[in-house]
Amino acid sequence: MKRDRDRGKPAAKPKMWVEPQPDAGLDDLFAVLGYKVKSSDMADVAEKLEQLDMAMGTTADDGASVFANDTVHYNPSDLSGWVQRMLTELSSPCAESSITKFINFSGDDDLSAIPGGAVFGSTGAEDSENGRKKMKAADGGSENPTLPRAVVVDSQDTGVRLVHSLMACAEAVQMENMKLADALVKHVGLLAVSQVGAMRKVATYFAEALARRIYKIYPNETLDSDILLMHFYETGPYLKFAHFTANQAILEAFAGANRVHVIDLSLREGMQWPALMQALAARPGGPPAFRLTGIGPPQPDNSDALLQVGWKLAQFAERIGVEFEFHGLVTNSLADLDAKIRGSDTETVAVNSVFELHQLLARPGAMEKVLDLIKAMRPKMVTVVEQEANHNGGAFLERFNESLHYYSSMFDSLESNGGGQDVKMTEVYLGRQICNVVACEGAERVERHETLAQWQARMDSAGFDPVHLGSNAFKQASLLLALFSSGEGYRVEERDGCLMLGWHTRPLITTSAWRIAPDCTH
Amino acid sequence: MVRLRAVGEHGREDKNTSKTFCINDNIDVLIEILKRLDDKSIGVAACVCRLWCALTRNDALWEHLCFRQLSPPPEGVRTVVAALGGYRRLYTVCVKPVLTRLRKMKSGGEMWTRHEVELSLSLFCVDYYERLFLAGGGGGGGRIAGDAPPSSLMFLCKAVNV
């Protein structure tokens, strides 16, 4: 996580202001910012800020009070009034936070004497029987009994506390200690407000998901997931990476074929196929006859969404001169597909699954059934794109921690794409996944992501051999990532012939390719 | 009032013998020159006169601009590109942003290989397909705001801070 800049803190870097200015009177650098600070006090102030820093660093995890870092500071010269306001706001509503001392700035000098040994000093918050953090009323300080002391909290510190609180809450949920979990979830909500950017969003979503789990309120989806997916497609390179790398593998498998058949296990809007059709059209010798079978869920309004997508793809194919045929298969779950989608023997078949297979793990036996179904189609190539994380562990706490790290990286990478409606929708899309992983159980929990190693084991035992994605796919993927604004963050990594899209060191999405093992007798 | 000048005849004859060269009479030469320009210059050239404007709309010119550095030029691409909106659109929507971004990334060396071409073409297809969706209305159930332009390639238009 990026260190968030502390807004509202009077002195940004204490070490910078150590030398007092030669001219007495107000320090003009501070004056520019609107603070009236005597130059002669600067060394003193700096020293005390260092003590403040140290004192804060030594305080334990005792639920310290939090300054909302995005406070609007209307009157910068009235520093004492600001501090007072913030402290009174914070001390009244929440019983969990322990507020300590107050600062009273006397005189027209804004920074007269921040008392040394400030901040927490002797605040040891004890856990009561209920697990609520008690507020330790700190009456006066050691040096200046009448001067209240300021609590200025480092937001990175709060970030760490936030993560700890989230994990503590998850642990409480696992132990079924709902009262403690309830208290902690509220605490997390409070801490989350002090953060900015990715951390705040992640914490908010996880807190909401935990709350849903505790109170057993399950969400009802209002926004159509296809719409969210379209926005996800447009944000960042994630889905484009998935589509382009899978297409490259399919293209190579189709080399030399005259009739090809692609089975898409979740057609959605069919965004993957125009690029493949174009690549087929551009190959020397002309395009093959292209047949597409798209699978999708029934629509709530009984409209035939699959057919409409098929129609658009047909229009596209006609434009570029590719012979095209479309079939749509409507089903609630892949495991319910009994019809064997068998192509003719003259066709080369490819099966494609983008973020779809993991959902089968929610129903026992479904995965094996579908893999058998796929094998019955005799495909030359099976492309699988999945999230690279283990969100299917047995223990709730383990799943929680894994998903916290994964989605933190995802949201972090989203930050680099700026704002906009697409990003917001993508956050909602990811938020839904978070909710599913954390709050749901059993057949409802469909976001059962697994790592590449787990998929490799599964495909291997089902009778598939890995196919290495070539250097073409790697090059295309690297180029694609280079086009995105923060090309420094996104990475392509190759592992065992599979390609992974990652954010810095954390892999996020993996594309793998498979074929039926030659000695498999199924 | 028209004055017939006997001298005029002579003048014209003189003109014929002095061989003035007007570029607008030699369109093939003009096209050859235009082919060697970069996109901004072509834009400027388009503002010169109607003839030049019509010439710069010629897609072959833009095809040359797109694949100038690539040898051998990719085959089989022309029909596809023409069907999806032409090379001028390909250049504006895909090739130019891709090149600009990559130029910032790589300091030197080959910038325009077939990988970049393939990527540009893929993005071009995505763009066309999305416009198809919008043209067909929200019936596909794909978008919330039906009037929003396809934003799949908007990331290419955003300013890059490298």
Side-chain angles (χ1 to χ4, degrees), chain A residues 227 230 233-234 240 244 269 271 274 278 282 308 312-313 316 319 422 425 472 475-476 479 482-484, chain B residues 75 83 101 105 114-116 118-119 121 125-126 128-130 132-133 139-144 151-152:
Chain A
I227 294 175
M230 276 299 271
Y233 184 83
E234 274 143 29
K240 290 191 189 71
F244 289 174
E269 306 290 350
M271 298 293 291
Q278 175 269 311
Q308 296 188 353
K312 296 256 163 17
L313 287 170
F316 181 86
R319 270 290 10 200
D422 284 332
M425 288 298 182
N472 280 336
K475 259 276 52 209
Q476 264 226 338
L479 268 181
L483 293 180
F484 280 85
Chain B
E75 314 140 9
R101 293 270 168 116
M105 304 284 171
R114 67 183 174 90
H115 294 290
E116 280 87 357
E118 281 164 14
L119 186 64
L121 287 171
C125 290
V126 167
Y128 182 84
Y129 184 65
E130 281 187 326
L132 252 188
F133 253 102
R143 309 187 67 92
I144 292 181
S151 48
S152 209

Side-chain angles (χ1 to χ4, degrees), chain A residues 424-490:
Chain A
K424 290 197 180 69
M425 288 298 182
T426 303
E427 288 164 8
V428 173
Y429 171 76
L430 294 174
R432 279 213 193 149
Q433 290 183 358
I434 292 172
C435 207
N436 193 276
V437 174
V438 172
C440 300
E441 277 304 332
E444 301 242 313
R445 178 160 63 89
V446 290
E447 299 293 344
R448 295 184 183 241
H449 311 149
E450 292 201 336
T451 58
L452 176 63
Q454 289 170 291
W455 285 108
Q456 281 171 326
R458 178 170 293 121
M459 296 297 274
D460 194 54
S461 65
F464 289 95
D465 273 349
V467 175
H468 281 224
L469 295 163
S471 60
N472 280 336
F474 186 90
K475 259 276 52 209
Q476 264 226 338
S478 320
L479 268 181
L480 178 70
L481 297 185
L483 293 180
F484 280 85
S485 56
S486 65
E488 311 95 56
Y490 292 112

Side-chain angles (χ1 to χ4, degrees), chain A residues 122-299:
Chain A
S122 54
T123 58
E126 308 136 4
D127 292 3
S128 70
E129 323 76 57
N130 278 356
R132 285 177 184 271
K133 314 272 177 165
K134 232 186 193 163
M135 186 170 73
K136 176 95 176 183
D139 41 52
S142 39
E143 282 138 322
N144 284 312
T146 53
L147 283 184
R149 287 158 200 206
V151 174
V152 183
V153 175
D154 182 355
S155 77
Q156 193 176 46
D157 214 19
T158 356
V160 171
R161 286 201 188 87
L162 182 56
V163 173
H164 286 166
S165 305
L166 275 168
M167 295 208 198
C169 186
E171 205 175 322
V173 168
Q174 170 150 297
M175 319 259 221
E176 313 249 340
N177 184 351
M178 293 309 178
K179 269 192 186 161
L180 172 60
D182 181 41
L184 284 169
V185 132
K186 292 188 177 116
H187 188 64
V188 165
L190 185 69
L191 284 175
V193 167
S194 74
Q195 297 294 304
V196 289
M199 187 74 215
R200 180 191 191 130
K201 294 168 191 165
V202 172
T204 317
Y205 278 118
F206 272 93
E208 184 196 327
L210 279 169
R212 286 190 184 278
R213 194 182 178 96
I214 295 169
Y215 302 124
K216 302 200 178 9
I217 312 167
Y218 298 113
N220 57 339
E221 322 278 291
T222 44
L223 276 175
D224 184 14
S225 65
D226 270 359
I227 294 175
L228 291 182
L229 195 71
M230 276 299 271
H231 287 279
F232 182 47
Y233 184 83
E234 274 143 29
T235 322
Y238 317 101
L239 269 187
K240 290 191 189 71
F241 168 86
H243 291 173
F244 289 174
T245 44
N247 280 347
Q248 193 61 39
I250 297 175
L251 193 64
E252 283 166 15
F254 282 170
N258 279 329
R259 307 194 68 83
V260 301
H261 183 190
V262 172
I263 299 161
D264 191 353
L265 298 186
S266 61
L267 184 64
R268 312 283 192 140
E269 306 290 350
M271 298 293 291
Q272 184 171 352
W273 308 117
L276 180 67
M277 286 198 267
Q278 175 269 311
L280 287 172
R283 66 175 199 180
F290 186 78
R291 186 149 89 100
L292 176 67
T293 301
I295 302 176
Q299 296 299 301

